[in-house]
Amino acid sequence: MNEPASVFRALHQGRAPADPLVLPGPWDATSARVFEDAGFPALATPSAGVAAALGYADGRTPAAEMFAAVTRIARAVSVPVSADVEAGYGLPPAELVERLLEAGVAGCNLEDSAGGVLVDPQRQADRLAEVRAAAGDRLFLNARVDTYIHGDPAAVDVVEETVARARLYAEAGADCVYPIMAPADGLPRLAGAVAVPINALGTPDGPSAVRRLGELGAARITFGPQLQRRAADAVRDLAARLLGR
């Protein structure tokens, strides 16, 4: 039987440009089952969406509660699940890997900023290398690059900084890099400069929007907390109808 990480890793390979891997983001066990039943081959939890479901602001979820929620999601479905664990909650790499494997996930996101400040890229690469060494092939490692949300365009060339970080993280053992909020027209340059798949942040507006990102170079599309927020909007509309508004 194939290990979940191997199955998940294979889903990223050999994608046609118009057919990127689409990973919806469940925030609880029920939403995870809905996405699996719809036919998605894998899922990727959003930390902000899970935080909202647990009653926390983004970035404020205690590690124990995040891992418990991710465990419930992974146990609810038979497809591979990747977990967004923000910057790793200060856990040493070996302990972080142990917690992820105990949760039953196939991969994780790790971001290169803390408290809204970018981490030194070599320091982050060293951490990613330690996570890779501890995990071996048992986890698919998606390295988030936060230059477009926390970089200073007045101080650096954001595109060059993004490419440099992405290359460094790939060399450290990342399976995929995620330049979150990178503009769509910048994806071809990023995809051409990095040897591993590119994860792009998409909008849940249908297949054509996803296909376009794939054609521009993204091999994988995630949506952050957008699906959870749309679900919350639907509940809000239902509440209004119940009140006759």
Side-chain angles (χ1 to χ4, degrees), residues 29-73:
T30 298
S31 58
R33 292 191 187 105
V34 168
F35 292 134
E36 180 183 32
D37 290 345
F40 289 98
L43 310 173
T45 69
S47 62
V50 173
L54 294 174
Y56 292 100
D58 185 20
R60 297 303 182 95
T61 310
E65 292 199 43
M66 181 62 75
F67 282 111
V70 166
T71 300
R72 289 191 293 271
I73 289 169

Side-chain angles (χ1 to χ4, degrees), residues 206-220:
S208 61
V210 165
R211 186 164 51 248
R212 177 171 178 263
L213 292 176
E215 290 169 345
L216 290 171
R220 158 176 164 161

Side-chain angles (χ1 to χ4, degrees), residues 117-166:
V117 178
L118 286 168
V119 175
D120 175 79
Q122 187 58 60
R123 177 181 160 199
Q124 180 69 1
D126 291 343
R127 178 167 170 78
L128 291 169
E130 291 181 41
V131 172
R132 169 56 66 215
D137 292 332
R138 296 176 296 169
L139 287 174
F140 184 96
L141 183 54
N142 189 33
R144 203 178 90 174
V145 185
D146 287 359
T147 43
Y148 283 97
I149 54 176
H150 296 309
D152 181 1
V156 297
D157 181 328
V158 175
V159 177
E160 285 298 326
E161 176 72 4
T162 303
V163 167
R165 284 176 178 261

